[in-house]
Amino acid sequence: MILWFSLTVFVLSCFIGYFVVWGVTPALHAPLMSVSNAISGIVIIGALMTAAYADSEKTEALSLAAVFLASVNIFGGFAVSQRMLGLFKKKDKK
Amino acid sequence: MIENEWLFLIYLLAGCLFILSIRGLSSPQTASRGNWLGMAGMLLAVDGTLLALPAQNHLLIFAALLSGGVVGLIGGLKVKITALPQMIAILNGLGGLSSALIGLAEILDGNANVYEVSVALFVGGAACSGSLVAFGKLQSILGAKFGRFPLQNFFNILISIGLLCTWIFFITHPSFFNATILLCAALAWGVLIILPIGGADMPIIIAVLNACSGWAAAGIGFSLANVALIMTGALVGAGGTILAFVMTKAMNRSLWAVMFTRLSDKTGALDSGEHEAKSGSPIDAAFILQNAHKVIIVPGYGMAVAQAQHILQTMASILSKKYNVEVKFAIHPVAGRMPGHMNVLLAEANVPYEDVYALENINREFASADAAYVIGANDITNPIARTDPASPLYGMPVLDVGKAKTVFFVKRSLNSGYAGVENPLFYAPNTVMLYGDAKKVTEEIVEVLERS
């Protein structure tokens, strides 16, 4: 049951992703890469869950490493995007 | 498993924010807001999750979260704009590795669905090692042709079959040890597949790796039955895949061809012996440019390497302000080493967004342009792509720079581009070659323009 529910969400989200990305202007494809990259850092939620419910130290260590990596991904991704978009905004005002 | 119902609401909200975030990138005016929406969504999702979790090891989790955040922030703020393709590659890799590690942790705990976790292990692992190789290539640690050997495709197919076998073995005999083997196989596969790819194919690879980090997150989402992960993973995965297809279409190559055929194996068939390329001096170029009504500038990867975007902007603004020339920039979809690479560099140099045109919007205008200034680009202007069905470039949409009255090619030499195909435009009667470093040549032109 839960699998069908998940699958529904998955497929519908693919369609949303498809249409939303077609709407992105080619000039902003580089920021699109880094924004979606930062967003894919959402795996951190999975890492947090496995870390909190870890049965052994080994699991905990693996999960904490995953939390760390995803965190780098999120912060790095958003920082890079912000800088890139700042470049585009700067001369818009001019 | 989390039972709190309010958490679902938070995840739903975060998902909507992510969609709006990408939606914001449809125009430069809303793009920055889009990024903030993305951050807000992430903050919501992470905070909500933290609140719902039991508080047994919060300290450790916070430590990991914070240290990762500091590393990411410093990296993201310190990295040079020129090193952005590498940065994005490496971040993709970290995301993939993170998914793979979660997959391992789940297997270790023994309550995971093997199919779903195997996707995360396989895709995440390949994305991680592939991104590292891409990083090495972009950082020029590994040469463009490094890692090519005879019978490579045959070998890669063999490796792919091997990976498939380990995957089946893992599905049928799930254990932590077998999961590690699958991860190692995926890591090796990622290295071997990406290793021979380089140069102009890089934008496609970056998009594919980006998609992979999304698919891997979705895989983890399935195994944890977490809506936020499934939704967001699918969003990123689909987005990256679309982008990869946009790029392949711009090169008229299939994803399969990018992965498994090597353009530069072939050499150009053009007989260059008969004609002579005409070369000119920056002074000649400055004279023609300042007397033109309309100039179209075509930047390529050579501009990025030479860091010539600032001086190029100076040249454009002198031409338009002092000499009343209409200056436009034409960008090919696959110019540079990542999607949108040229646009970022021009934005960095303060070139107005309105002066930068995509291929389909500017191609008609070359016929009415007095001069085209091609700086560090080659294959994306090659008319052979229209005329010679035998050429590896055939069918790729190119910029019609040859239709301009005069074409300037700023290049180091007559060497062919990444595709290894000679450009007949170099020998056209209306073409003037400006040999030298892209930045130096443009600087010399600017000097002349300022003086006269």
Side-chain angles (χ1 to χ4, degrees):
Chain A
M1 191 53 210
I2 190 92
L3 178 68
W4 294 116
F5 174 70
S6 300
L7 200 64
T8 310
V9 174
F10 177 75
V11 172
L12 291 181
S13 301
C14 284
F15 274 98
I16 296 176
Y18 175 87
F19 287 111
V20 170
V21 167
W22 269 124
V24 173
T25 164
L28 292 177
H29 274 165
L32 169 67
M33 296 268 75
S34 67
V35 170
S36 59
N37 177 229
I39 288 176
S40 73
I42 191 78
V43 282
I44 200 168
I45 288 180
L48 291 172
M49 284 163 116
T50 45
Y53 293 101
D55 291 341
S56 67
E57 275 173 12
K58 231 164 145 190
T59 324
E60 196 180 14
L62 279 172
S63 317
L64 286 175
V67 171
F68 172 79
L69 292 173
S71 179
V72 175
N73 190 359
I74 293 171
F75 281 87
F78 280 125
V80 166
S81 318
Q82 198 56 31
R83 276 181 66 198
M84 257 194 270
L85 293 170
L87 298 175
F88 281 94
K89 223 168 130 194
K90 202 165 47 186
K91 29 83 215 163
D92 249 18
K93 288 179 194 146
K94 230 170 57 175
Chain B
M1 233 7 263
I2 290 180
E3 285 90 22
N4 310 43
E5 278 180 20
W6 55 268
L7 197 56
F8 278 94
L9 205 62
I10 297 235
Y11 285 161
L12 181 60
L13 203 62
C16 293
L17 284 171
F18 290 150
I19 294 170
L20 289 174
S21 162
I22 296 181
R23 179 84 196 125
L25 295 174
S26 52
S27 100
Q29 279 80 20
T30 55
S32 196
R33 191 178 68 209
N35 199 36
W36 286 111
L37 289 177
M39 290 187 218
M42 190 60 77
L43 196 69
L44 262 180
V46 171
D47 285 352
T49 313
L50 282 175
L51 283 175
L53 290 176
Q56 43 163 338
N57 52 0
H58 261 180
L59 220 60
L60 278 172
I61 291 180
F62 272 119
L65 200 67
L66 274 182
S67 52
V70 169
V71 172
L73 263 184
I74 293 178
L77 295 175
K78 280 273 163 72
V79 68
K80 290 203 186 97
I81 293 292
T82 43
L84 278 181
Q86 294 90 304
M87 182 70 182
I88 290 177
I90 204 105
L91 288 174
N92 272 330
L94 295 183
L97 187 60
S98 179
S99 302
L101 290 184
I102 299 167
L104 277 187
E106 281 187 66
I107 295 284
L108 204 54
D109 265 0
N111 47 11
N113 183 313
V114 212
Y115 290 96
E116 295 150 355
V117 169
S118 70
V119 170
L121 285 175
F122 161 47
V123 181
C128 170
S129 60
S131 298
L132 284 180
V133 174
F135 170 80
K137 292 245 169 189
L138 290 163
Q139 188 75 33
S140 315
I141 299 169
L142 310 172
K145 288 182 182 165
F146 178 84
R148 291 188 188 168
F149 47 84
L151 290 176
Q152 189 152 31
N153 285 341
F154 177 71
F155 186 71
N156 279 354
I157 289 168
L158 226 60
I159 286 284
S160 305
I161 293 171
L163 180 65
L164 202 68
C165 293
T166 36
W167 182 66
I168 292 169
F169 188 68
F170 170 69
I171 297 277
T172 46
H173 305 82
S175 73
F176 180 65
F177 181 70
N178 290 348
T180 343
I181 290 185
L182 176 63
L183 179 58
C184 290
L187 287 169
W189 187 76
V191 170
L192 287 165
I193 290 292
I194 306 294
L195 204 51
I197 306 172
D201 288 333
M202 237 37 210
I204 299 168
I205 294 308
I206 299 265
V208 169
L209 292 170
N210 189 46
C212 284
S213 69
W215 296 132
I220 292 291
F222 270 100
S223 75
L224 291 173
N226 185 311
V227 198
L229 287 187
I230 298 174
M231 204 158 47
T232 319
L235 198 67
V236 173
T241 310
I242 297 306
L243 205 55
F245 273 107
V246 172
M247 298 291 132
T248 47
K249 235 176 79 189
M251 298 180 88
N252 192 41
R253 301 178 69 195
S254 65
L255 202 53
W256 180 260
V258 170
M259 300 283 223
F260 293 105
T261 60
R262 313 280 161 250
L263 278 182
S264 20
D265 291 351
K266 290 187 182 179
T267 41
L270 196 80
D271 49 320
S272 52
E274 302 160 24
H275 2 249
E276 190 94 357
K278 200 167 44 178
S279 78
S281 72
I283 300 168
D284 307 333
F287 180 75
I288 293 176
L289 289 174
Q290 74 189 49
N291 288 310
H293 292 290
K294 184 157 148 192
V295 172
I296 299 177
I297 299 176
V298 181
Y301 183 58
M303 179 194 82
V305 173
Q307 280 298 293
Q309 66 270 31
H310 298 280
I311 192 73
L312 199 62
Q313 189 272 336
T314 314
M315 183 179 96
S317 75
I318 292 178
L319 281 175
S320 66
K321 290 200 181 106
K322 191 169 167 190
Y323 299 100
N324 245 339
V325 183
E326 187 187 359
V327 182
K328 291 181 173 176
F329 289 81
I331 310 246
H332 192 276
V334 292
R337 290 294 179 267
M338 69 171 166
H341 195 179
M342 293 298 120
N343 301 83
V344 176
L345 293 177
L346 291 179
E348 186 204 3
N350 280 331
V351 171
Y353 176 74
E354 306 79 50
D355 293 353
V356 181
Y357 292 83
L359 177 133
E360 61 271 21
N361 296 329
I362 190 121
N363 238 356
R364 256 171 284 118
E365 295 196 29
F366 280 105
S368 64
D370 300 290
Y373 190 78
V374 185
I375 175 164
N378 185 359
D379 290 338
I380 56 172
T381 65
N382 198 332
I384 257 189
R386 288 190 201 286
T387 52
D388 181 8
S391 160
L393 290 178
Y394 184 68
M396 166 169 142
V398 288
L399 289 159
D400 287 329
V401 293
K403 287 189 181 154
K405 278 203 196 84
T406 312
V407 187
F408 295 105
F409 271 98
V410 185
K411 264 185 119 277
R412 287 172 183 279
S413 66
L414 279 177
N415 285 348
S416 49
Y418 171 70
V421 182
E422 207 157 343
N423 195 338
L425 262 186
F426 295 168
Y427 309 101
N430 61 336
T431 297
V432 178
M433 304 297 299
L434 301 168
Y435 294 114
D437 175 71
K439 191 174 175 183
K440 223 174 236 153
V441 170
T442 314
E443 269 168 0
E444 282 166 17
I445 294 177
V446 166
E447 251 170 57
V448 179
L449 287 176
E450 272 173 341
R451 249 187 288 135
S452 51

